[in-house]
Amino acid sequence: MCLFSTEKDLPDRVRNALILIQYLIIPFYSCLLMFQGVLNINGCAAQPLLPVWHIVAGSTGLIVPLLYLLFDDLNPALAKKCPGLSEALDNVVVFVLPVYILFEIAWLITGTVWVVGVDVNECDKTIHIFSVVVIVNFWIHILTPLLFMLCLCCSRIFPFLGYCTYWNIMKDAIELWTRPVRLGICLIIALPLGVSMVGVGVYSLQSCSNETAEISFKSPNNTSGTNTTATESELDQDMLDVEMHHIPVWLIVAGILVVLVPVFYFIYDAFCKPEDVKQSTKNLSQLLVILFLLAGLAWAVVGFVWIFGAHNIQNTYCGHNSTTYWFAFASLIILNSLMDVWICFKICVILYWALISDE
């Protein structure tokens, strides 16, 4: 019997969310972790293994889509043609999956201990903040399904409590979760954030001046975390000019993408989720939404590279410690947090449909 075959299949809209998480979001975060670990391999003298933690965590994260591809697509097909091989793969996953989960939890605990015990003064600020954000995200992603399933168990063990409180809350929330509410929340979040990002980016781009620019960089052989200062005469002026405009340009483009989020969410909600939409319209809508998501994720990667990998340029408007830099840093963290909220919500929806929904 194939472990991943079930008579109660997930609805298309729920399965699409699951596919998006396992084949797009998880590989994105995994590659980002690996990149930051390699980029800052000597960036934390207080805990030299912290960048290694990022590399290992990113590498193991890439195993998740491979496991899904193997056991969600390949194994059900093998169950019909080669039952023996399918049974063998089931036995393998029964052994490998718990080991993989235990390793991920143990590695997360290890990273948490390293980050908590690190001396901030002897570790690069960006890699330390990035590590804190990543570890908090991981704990949220682990605890969310556990807490959700705990609520389900309590509702089954104490049915009176469950049906009087939990189920009433769930039913009320589902009834209120209409398209106008969803679009309203999307507009309230996206428009102020996107417009402010575009405004700050345009103002900073117009105000940038290279006349007194200085840059400090980390030498590859400098493992103490100290900076070496060099004037712009020691660097290629064109490279300096380009790098100074990275963050304002990122803010402008990212702000435009954020402003467009409600438009593409409406396309997704109105033409991708319903079952009674023409197939050609649904395919075109799905293509547009996927292209938009890929563009957003790609630009987020660019933001992580430009913001976390920026040299210490001394400039009032475009420098490393300028208001623009820290606004871009905060915007990136906010967008990452919103992505975490969306992922946790989708995890709960998937668990709800997979475990208890009879529709």
Side-chain angles (χ1 to χ4, degrees):
M1 180 185 68
C2 179
L3 290 176
F4 297 88
S5 298
T6 174
E7 295 180 356
K8 188 178 81 170
D9 201 4
L10 296 174
D12 289 339
R13 60 183 183 273
V14 179
R15 181 167 291 277
N16 290 337
L18 179 61
I19 292 173
L20 179 65
I21 292 174
Q22 65 194 26
Y23 290 131
L24 195 61
I25 304 299
I26 293 178
F28 163 73
Y29 275 110
S30 299
C31 293
L32 186 60
L33 279 173
M34 294 175 61
F35 177 81
Q36 287 298 324
V38 173
L39 184 66
N40 299 278
I41 193 66
N42 295 319
C44 190
Q47 180 50 263
L49 293 177
L50 190 57
V52 177
W53 182 88
H54 287 282
I55 296 173
V56 174
S59 302
T60 55
L62 291 176
I63 298 176
V64 174
L66 295 178
L67 289 175
Y68 273 111
L69 181 64
L70 178 62
F71 298 112
D72 195 43
D73 295 331
L74 179 61
N75 204 30
L78 287 176
K80 300 177 181 179
K81 298 180 180 180
C82 303
L85 181 58
S86 176
E87 185 72 23
L89 287 176
D90 280 342
N91 294 331
V92 170
V93 73
V94 167
F95 172 77
V96 171
L97 195 57
V99 174
Y100 175 78
I101 294 175
L102 289 175
F103 173 80
E104 288 291 301
I105 295 176
W107 195 242
L108 178 58
I109 294 174
T110 302
T112 304
V113 172
W114 287 349
V115 169
V116 171
V118 74
D119 186 356
V120 181
N121 297 323
E122 297 183 12
C123 190
D124 183 77
K125 184 184 296 184
T126 54
I127 186 64
H128 180 259
I129 296 177
F130 181 79
S131 301
V132 172
V133 172
V134 167
I135 288 176
V136 170
N137 289 346
F138 279 9
W139 279 115
I140 292 174
H141 295 162
I142 288 178
L143 294 177
T144 296
L146 293 179
L147 291 175
F148 186 80
M149 287 188 289
L150 179 62
C151 293
L152 296 182
C153 292
C154 290
S155 67
R156 298 302 186 185
I157 296 174
F158 306 103
F160 178 79
L161 177 63
Y163 282 100
C164 287
T165 57
Y166 176 76
W167 290 117
N168 290 333
I169 294 174
M170 288 291 293
K171 291 178 180 178
D172 293 340
I174 293 174
E175 291 177 358
L176 293 174
W177 194 247
T178 59
R179 181 178 298 168
V181 172
R182 296 193 295 268
L183 286 176
I185 295 174
C186 190
L187 286 169
I188 291 173
I189 296 175
L191 287 184
L193 179 60
V195 171
S196 61
M197 292 172 70
V198 173
V200 172
V202 170
Y203 176 79
S204 177
L205 195 62
Q206 293 176 345
S207 304
C208 276
S209 174
N210 300 333
E211 294 180 359
T212 58
E214 290 185 356
I215 181 170
S216 65
F217 59 92
K218 289 190 175 180
S219 171
N221 297 323
N222 183 8
T223 58
S224 62
T226 58
N227 291 336
T228 304
T229 303
T231 62
E232 60 180 339
S233 60
E234 298 174 356
L235 297 170
D236 186 80
Q237 183 62 39
D238 293 335
M239 294 292 294
L240 181 60
D241 293 343
V242 170
E243 184 169 342
M244 288 185 62
H245 292 83
H246 278 172
I247 293 177
V249 170
W250 182 84
L251 279 173
I252 295 172
V253 177
I256 294 173
L257 291 174
V258 172
V259 170
L260 291 176
V261 166
V263 177
F264 282 90
Y265 182 80
F266 175 78
I267 295 174
Y268 167 75
D269 199 62
F271 302 106
C272 295
K273 293 171 65 175
E275 302 294 338
D276 56 349
V277 178
K278 291 178 59 176
Q279 190 62 38
S280 58
T281 303
K282 177 177 286 191
N283 292 338
L284 179 60
S285 301
Q286 290 176 345
L287 177 62
L288 291 175
V289 172
I290 291 174
L291 290 177
F292 179 76
L293 288 174
L294 290 175
L297 290 175
W299 198 244
V301 173
V302 173
F304 273 101
V305 173
W306 284 354
I307 293 173
F308 285 93
H311 292 96
N312 193 4
I313 300 175
Q314 303 301 323
N315 185 276
T316 305
Y317 299 101
C318 302
H320 184 267
N321 289 318
S322 64
T323 303
T324 303
Y325 175 85
W326 289 111
F327 180 83
F329 186 92
S331 300
L332 194 62
I333 299 301
I334 291 173
L335 292 174
N336 182 74
S337 301
L338 292 174
M339 178 66 73
D340 288 335
V341 172
W342 180 83
I343 291 174
C344 292
F345 176 77
K346 288 300 181 181
I347 289 174
C348 293
V349 170
I350 293 168
L351 290 174
Y352 172 81
W353 280 98
L355 298 178
I356 61 177
S357 177
D358 296 326
E359 298 182 8

